[in-house]
Amino acid sequence: MMLKKLLCLIVLTCFSVSNAQIVINEIDPDTPSTDTKEFIELKSATPFAALDGYVLVFFNGSASGLTNLSYLAIDLDGLVTDGNGIILLGNPLVVPAASYTIAQGLIQNGPDAVAIYLGDATDFPTNTAGTTTNLIDALVYSNSGTTSATTLMTALGETVSYNENVNGAAATQSIQRKSDGTYEVKTPTPRANNDGSGIIYNGITVSYTPTSPLTEGQTVAVTFTTDTNVTSDLNFSIVLNYGTFTTSDFTGNLNITIPSGSNTATTTIQLLNDGVNDGDEDMQITIGTLPSDVIVLNNNTIVRVNDINFTTLPFGTPANPTYGNVTSTAPAGYYASLEGKSGTALKQAIQDIIANPSVVRAHTYGDIIDILKTADQNPLNNNQVWQIYTETPRSKVDYQSGSSIIGKWNREHIYCQSRGNYGDTYNLPAHGINTWSSTGPDDIGAGLSDAHHIRAVDGQENSSRNNRNYGVDYNGPTTTPTSSWKGDVARACFYMAVRYNGLNVVNGNPNENIVGQIGDLATLLTWNQTDPRDDFEMNRNNYIYTWQMNRNPFIDYPALANYIWGANAGQVWHAALANTEFVADKIILYPNPAKDNFVISGIATEGKIEMYSVLGQKVFEQNFAGETTFHFNLISGIYMAKITSESNVVTKKIVIE
């Protein structure tokens, strides 16, 4: 994979050099009112140039040099310049319309910078420092003559910062490239050569209602709109076929006419329900041949069509978990060798089971995609995966196959790759369940494709998590915090630390450059308790077992973690004493939801209840004996109640109104 990427980079470099490379032709970051007409325009030396392999990156700047980090990266894959070598990216209200839409108010006024690189958006996650590596072109700018992004200028190798407000009219003027490579400030000329020369195009934009995602059986209105009224009938055809989406999936008129004197036409497409669960599909709206003075601004628009005939599973999602509906498929006696052991002998006995080279199988990194489509299937819709951290579903067809991470899901290594140093031995295409390699505890390469610690994840959240330690650094999404993934993560880390020699879970926030360490152990032990294993997690453990012929013992017996690293470390393990299943079935917590009190029944002996918020903070603790009513003063929300009695522990969710 690395070799392939390097070869692609060399080819792209040669391509860009031979075509004088693409440049930043015009930018208008400061526009009237609330910046609703911001845009950036790029220009290639030759017309109709494909921009595959390029990425556009926006950087924050400051006079003090304290920021100078990226805030937006846009993959240019799939975009093509027009006959003038121009392509426009901008807000929805930019006139004429842009080929790529940038959200309103996103381009900052300055002092800032924008740059074109060879690479992908994934190479520039938010807060990436500016660099000249693979840099094609850059522009540093401001809207004040007294401040400039001096540190960014140095980082990007630029010696000039251009002031959009040099004429005192920043809101009505833009920064434009001249033929000598310098820039001037004047009235904006979006989607046109800055000197007024070239072809004047009538751009056509595709839109549809209702907006995606659509479902089988729906009717969709597809509208085609030109910048200006056409002077004669504009006739063209469209194609909707894409992949498995064919003419059998829809009916409707595919021959379009925008009548003379108008700038719009609409066709109605009926999506058909075939009554078969054949998965979600994409419809692609592709406009055919047009007159030479008309260009399509967003051709090949992809529209999601969800299958309405999906199936469900008899258990809940991690966000709304169920317990006890899915039982372990471990063969009788699978864990028998652990009985009576403690300390290092117990840990070794676990490894002897889950890393037995005569039994355990390693599959390829390509196989992981297929494994996750079943192991991480959304219980509410078999055509979706469930994404960890964000705790949201996403269609299986949205797997990230290109450079764009927006709206895509990918493979997340819980014990991240840089910390495990897994290498590329197993970085191969999918071979299927019947092709595998035997693997033991020293085969660290197998960790790259060990499904017990790889989960489906939102592409953007995957980039945000990066290789950060849990608890002390990463605690999930910041915009919409979730916690129902935390126990899953803990048990995956525990598995990896036993399965592979050289991997450890440690306290604190170990440096990312220290191979074989991930933290924070204390946090993970807490998460193992506050987010108990649910039916979803047990189901994926059962399914992965069919591929790898090993299980995650910390899912089958969560209490094992305490005997290796926690409060029971050094004590003798007996599964019967550590088993919490029989307690879970007997304990009842009611009413649920509760207001200012609830009752615990089903425990005749002494016990203790600890309540944790969704952020893992302990908010209530009380000892009790027998059936007890508890009074409290907690804010409304979802809490986890950890109930301990003798050697048994069970965790239940309660809603406080």
Side-chain angles (χ1 to χ4, degrees), residues 216-394:
E216 293 177 337
Q218 273 191 290
T219 298
V220 56
V222 183
T223 301
F224 306 88
T225 306
T226 55
D227 293 332
T228 60
N229 292 346
V230 298
T231 56
S232 61
D233 287 357
L234 177 60
N235 301 302
F236 56 91
S237 61
I238 62 172
V239 176
L240 303 181
N241 293 28
Y242 187 68
T244 60
F245 188 88
T246 67
T247 53
S248 64
D249 293 307
F250 68 92
T251 60
N253 180 28
L254 303 183
N255 296 307
I256 315 299
T257 297
I258 298 179
S260 178
S262 176
N263 74 327
T264 186
T266 299
T267 186
T268 299
I269 302 298
Q270 178 65 51
L271 303 174
L272 303 178
N273 178 10
D274 57 11
V276 178
N277 180 23
D278 49 6
D280 299 340
E281 297 174 308
D282 285 328
M283 175 177 72
Q284 180 173 276
I285 306 172
T286 301
I287 296 178
T289 304
L290 291 167
S292 60
D293 61 345
V294 179
I295 59 170
V296 186
L297 301 178
N298 59 337
N299 209 8
N300 303 318
T301 297
I302 300 294
V303 183
R304 170 57 40 75
V305 180
N306 288 335
D307 196 318
I308 203 170
N309 304 290
F310 59 84
T311 60
T312 61
L313 294 171
F315 54 86
T317 69
N320 293 285
T322 58
Y323 304 90
N325 297 312
V326 181
T327 57
S328 171
T329 57
Y334 187 77
Y335 294 111
S337 60
L338 307 185
E339 289 297 305
K341 291 186 173 63
S342 63
T344 57
L346 176 61
K347 184 178 179 181
Q348 184 60 55
I350 298 172
Q351 187 186 69
D352 290 343
I353 296 171
I354 65 175
N356 183 350
S358 66
V359 176
V360 178
R361 302 173 179 177
H363 294 274
T364 70
Y365 197 37
D367 286 321
I368 286 295
I369 302 171
D370 295 324
I371 293 174
L372 294 184
K373 286 180 179 179
T374 298
D376 288 355
Q377 179 176 304
N378 177 14
L380 301 180
N381 186 330
N382 75 295
N383 295 319
Q384 300 173 339
V385 292
W386 188 266
Q387 300 173 120
I388 198 170
Y389 305 142
T390 57
E391 299 295 64
T392 54
R394 178 154 288 154

Side-chain angles (χ1 to χ4, degrees), residues 71 158 175 217 299 429 443 474 573 585:
Y71 66 89
E158 296 294 314
I175 303 171
N299 209 8
D443 185 9
Y474 181 76
W573 168 262
D585 292 337

